[in-house]
Amino acid sequence: MRNTAKFTAVALAVGALTLGLTACGSSDSGSDSADGPLIVAASPTPHAEILTFVKDNLAKDAGLDLEVKEFTDYVTPNTATEDGSVGANYFQNQPYLDDFNKKNGTHIVPVVTVHLEPLGLYSHKFKSADDLKSGATIAVPNDTVNEARALKLLADNGLITLKDGVGNEATPADITENPKNFKFKELEAAQTPRSLDDVDAAVVNGNYAIEADLEPASDALVLESADDNPYGNFLAVKEGNEDDPRVEKLAELLTSPEVKKFIEDEYDGSVIPSF
């Protein structure tokens, strides 16, 4: 998106190995300097777009120097926040973060919840979930939380039944009833929309759906409900940085009436404000 820079996972891997190197290449202006810009790692859509709206329209008047870095995966934004390459990130939900911290020994904490991207089931071959044929192949994200979330979406819509109490660690092995004998293809979350020509249907995270020109509110065969949904996306920092004045300013701006209106106008129900 405009005014953002795209980092590849390879570039971040190098940055993670060089702990003294900041995301902008200078320790004087890096995210670890309270006098420098706040560098925020974000998924391109909608996170970086929302941050860019803040940068272009609100940050200057609030006295915030904001820099946005785009990442296309769900790992490097957290590792970059942990090692100080960036000062914050905006891309994830609480169940995902809890799982990531546990598995990676990181210390990332949420600051403020901004929006929800409803997870949806999409197909290039069928117009409704009921039309899916026996033996159909459904692509699902392969990371722990999003796979469980995808299976729960299917279960909530009567397509499968899951073992009681399986929670955020559900896998296809936890399916107890599968009336149509669906097969599941586990893919990296970013790959699920690209698989739609090769599978019968795919469960796609909201940000990747929007990037693929899908409109969750109208294109999804079934869509996650926003009511009591635990998967709101938030601004996050390394533990201990919650009181950074730059972070506090950004948290306030991200939950402002101006940002709420931007989200509602820009995404037309495919991204829902959580404040």
Side-chain angles (χ1 to χ4, degrees):
M1 300 303 111
R2 65 186 190 280
N3 295 329
T4 59
K6 295 186 177 180
F7 267 32
T8 66
V10 172
L12 252 292
V14 173
L17 292 173
T18 311
L19 297 182
L21 181 65
T22 66
C24 59
S26 167
S27 60
D28 291 334
S29 58
S31 62
D32 57 349
S33 170
D35 296 326
L38 177 64
I39 304 171
V40 184
S43 297
T45 305
H47 310 79
E49 294 173 345
I50 295 170
L51 288 168
T52 297
F53 172 81
V54 171
K55 176 181 174 69
D56 291 349
N57 297 278
L58 305 174
K60 184 176 180 180
D61 287 345
L64 175 65
D65 188 359
L66 178 63
E67 187 175 333
V68 184
K69 300 288 187 184
E70 289 187 12
F71 298 86
T72 57
D73 70 289
Y74 284 167
V75 175
T76 47
N78 275 337
T79 57
T81 304
E82 179 75 11
D83 71 29
S85 298
V86 301
N89 68 56
Y90 174 33
F91 77 100
Q92 65 191 320
N93 58 56
Q94 190 68 60
Y96 178 84
L97 176 59
D98 290 344
D99 182 70
F100 189 95
N101 279 335
K102 180 180 178 181
K103 289 180 175 177
N104 295 280
T106 47
H107 309 85
I108 313 300
V109 295
V111 177
V112 66
T113 302
V114 181
H115 76 267
L116 171 72
E117 302 160 26
L119 197 74
L121 176 69
Y122 300 86
S123 176
H124 284 172
K125 301 174 183 178
F126 300 98
K127 297 296 184 183
S128 77
D130 291 338
D131 293 338
L132 290 170
K133 296 179 180 178
S134 179
T137 298
I138 301 175
V140 295
N142 65 2
D143 63 273
T144 301
V145 170
N146 281 308
E147 181 169 50
R149 186 180 174 189
L151 295 174
K152 185 176 185 300
L153 173 69
L154 301 179
D156 287 345
N157 285 275
L159 298 173
I160 59 172
T161 301
L162 289 172
K163 187 186 303 180
D164 288 343
V166 70
N168 288 317
E169 296 184 355
T171 71
D174 296 303
I175 296 172
T176 57
E177 294 181 26
N178 186 2
K180 288 192 174 182
N181 297 308
F182 293 136
K183 299 172 183 176
F184 296 93
K185 187 173 184 178
E186 297 168 300
L187 299 173
E188 184 181 352
Q191 299 298 322
T192 54
R194 302 172 196 171
S195 74
L196 282 169
D197 289 331
D198 302 317
V199 298
D200 296 293
V203 180
V204 183
N205 290 76
N207 60 314
Y208 292 132
I210 296 168
E211 288 176 24
D213 295 324
L214 297 167
E215 296 184 8
S218 57
D219 292 339
L221 306 187
V222 295
L223 192 65
E224 209 172 36
S225 171
D227 295 339
D228 299 319
N229 195 301
Y231 298 106
N233 285 202
F234 46 68
L235 180 70
V237 297
K238 186 174 182 178
E239 188 175 10
N241 293 335
E242 302 95 317
D243 296 332
D244 184 322
R246 300 168 302 169
V247 172
E248 292 179 336
K249 283 183 183 178
L250 180 56
E252 183 177 349
L253 295 178
L254 280 171
T255 54
S256 66
E258 293 88 348
V259 167
K260 184 174 184 178
K261 185 177 188 305
F262 172 78
I263 293 173
E264 291 172 341
D265 291 347
E266 184 74 12
Y267 301 109
D268 193 26
S270 295
V271 178
I272 303 168
S274 297
F275 57 92

